[in-house]
Amino acid sequence: MEVKQETSYVLHHAQKIIAIFAAMRDFKGFLLKNNHHVIYIKINDKDNQQCFKSNLNALLKVHHIQKFEYQEPDESRLDKELKIFCSEISIPSACVSSEHFYTSRDEVKEVFRDKKQWLMESFYRYKRKKHHILMNDINEPIGSKWNFDNENRKAWKGTPKTFKDTRPTHNHSVLWDEICNADIKSFGENNASHFQWPLNRQEALKHFDFFVKNILVYFGDYQDAMHKDETRMFHSLVSFALNTKMLSPHEVILKVERSFHDNQISINTAEGFIRQILGWREYIRGYYWANISSLNSENYFNHQLPVPSWFWNGQTQMNCLKYSIHQSLNEAYAHHIQRLMVIGNFSLLAGIHPQKLHQWYLGIYIDAFEWVEMPNTLGMSQFADGGKLASKPYVSTANYVNKMSNYCEDCHYSKNEKIGEKACPFNSLYWNFFLVNAQKLGKNP
Ligand code: FAD
Ligand code: SF4
């Protein structure tokens, strides 16, 4: 069902609403073609009551439903709602796993039960062994190392050449009109009707196969690189397909592992990519379910500033932020380092309220769903949990931005200056951050 409850819990990017509805409609078509019985509620259907509970109650009644079953939702908000719904109805109900992740909701918590410090790396090694991924016959890591991250820090100077985006563009103008008629609020309407996010599994598979065959080989080396003329560099753009369950993490990892065994890619490339999904993605999910009750209110540094108005239009003289925000607004996408080391870095140094910033990230990106966005924003990027997820705050001066990008080249500010009119704000804010928080960070190694 397409419901306003889901389009309005945060101000979403127009592409995100359209892409999700379009993919749902496509999936309905697929199910019908395969002789499944489907009831689909469109956003403007006259009987649509615009929230799950009311629509479900109506369906139970009209169709004389005798048992209600559902898949585990990924978000705690919906989890609670469906549990309450089940307790209120008079027919039996059951919840089943979506079988979409490697890890059950509570597994990360179990792994760290007796541990003071949660470390993604130790969870990742446990998962590698458990699922025998990139392991040899005696269950040791292939390449004799668990992690090749040190080899993944190159800046990009124009070569190797990046690849043209080969994903088909879809015309969503009919759906967009329906969404507008339903009076749904969103932003980023400029590109609303034409964009390239996959609508179905076939498209997502095709695109991912192209990535594995042509682009993945450069992923590890240039994972942290940023460039004014490039939006994706050598990243996969697979998060939307993964998070909407068009592709499973299992098949994505197996394809990459196979490519390594077929000598198409090196071990540092295979390991680096697999760590993102088997390590980070699964760890983040477990962290979410273990901490959701407190995460939503945490604010370790007591930061209070609102999200600057220019986060909604990219109008700033700081080049790195201008480019990263413009791209996010236009494409509903920025890669990890833009999210973490440009936008997140600035927000933490400047003292933006972490929960308000979380609302911004949750709305803006095509792949943003609370279970993955919230721990990344509040934990990894803003240190709002006081260091449970990330062992150190991810902050830097202009030095890092300049090393990994060409943003500083023609910036209004000077990357080398720390004080004065032209000083790069990252420099003064960085030292200010450590002065102001000396007590809270004094013991951080
Ligand atoms: P690639 O760089 O090609 O990586 C491959 C895959 O690895 C990604 O698709 C993703 O599934 C997984 N992955 C990599 N890093 C992470 C991570 N830290 N957490 C979870 N999965 C990871 N990711 C989301 O899917 N949704 C979000 O809402 C989201 N919000 C973020 C907010 C902040 C502040 C930060 C720092 C990171 C966020 N991430 C989020 C993680 C990461 O930035 C994106 O998964 C990635 O940029 C998606 O682009 P890609 O598919 O091209 O990724
Ligand atoms: Fe960003 Fe500072 Fe570099 Fe300008 S000089 S691009 S503000 S890091």
Side-chain angles (χ1 to χ4, degrees), residues 33 46 59 61 99 103 106 142 176 192 204 252 256 322 336 339 344 377 395-396:
K33 223 190 270 165
K46 69 176 183 347
L59 290 173
K61 220 165 163 187
E99 298 179 0
T103 318
D106 294 331
I142 293 181
W176 177 233
V252 164
V256 173
K322 184 168 79 186
H336 188 66
R339 296 187 206 195
T377 305
V395 287
S396 79

Side-chain angles (χ1 to χ4, degrees), residues 16 197 208 211 219 223 232 234-243 252 272-285 333-341 343-344 357 360-362 365-378 380-382 389 394:
K16 184 175 164 192
W197 300 107
F208 189 69
F211 167 76
F219 172 84
Q223 206 174 328
R232 79 181 276 190
F234 300 101
H235 290 268
S236 66
L237 303 182
V238 76
S239 50
F240 175 68
L242 277 175
N243 296 353
V252 164
F273 190 80
I274 287 175
R275 178 161 21 94
Q276 305 309 315
I277 296 180
L278 186 68
W280 278 112
R281 189 169 188 270
E282 298 285 327
Y283 174 74
I284 287 281
R285 175 169 184 263
Y333 175 82
H335 71 65
H336 188 66
I337 297 301
Q338 294 170 304
R339 296 187 206 195
L340 183 66
M341 293 309 295
I343 303 171
L357 184 71
W360 184 84
Y361 274 101
L362 183 58
Y365 293 112
I366 195 77
D367 53 25
F369 298 92
E370 190 186 83
W371 69 269
V372 54
E373 176 279 328
M374 187 192 250
N376 268 300
T377 305
L378 297 179
M380 185 187 293
S381 167
Q382 298 302 296
L389 189 146
Y394 281 96

Side-chain angles (χ1 to χ4, degrees), residues 2 25 42-44 173-182:
E2 302 168 358
R25 291 183 181 194
K42 285 185 171 181
I43 194 73
N44 286 325
S173 43
V174 174
L175 174 57
W176 177 233
D177 284 347
E178 286 180 44
I179 292 170
C180 292
N181 287 339

Side-chain angles (χ1 to χ4, degrees), residues 152 156 159-167 204-223 230-238 256 259 264-266 268-270 272-273 333 335:
N152 293 348
W156 184 74
T159 51
K161 287 267 167 275
T162 49
F163 287 80
K164 201 171 164 287
D165 197 339
T166 52
R167 297 172 300 167
L205 270 175
K206 204 167 154 201
H207 180 68
F208 189 69
D209 287 343
F210 182 85
F211 167 76
V212 173
K213 194 160 168 240
N214 302 290
I215 305 177
L216 176 59
V217 63
Y218 305 117
F219 172 84
D221 283 351
Y222 300 102
Q223 206 174 328
E230 298 291 333
T231 52
R232 79 181 276 190
M233 296 299 314
F234 300 101
H235 290 268
S236 66
L237 303 182
V238 76
V256 173
S259 173
Q264 306 293 312
I265 52 172
S266 65
N268 70 318
T269 298
F273 190 80
Y333 175 82
H335 71 65

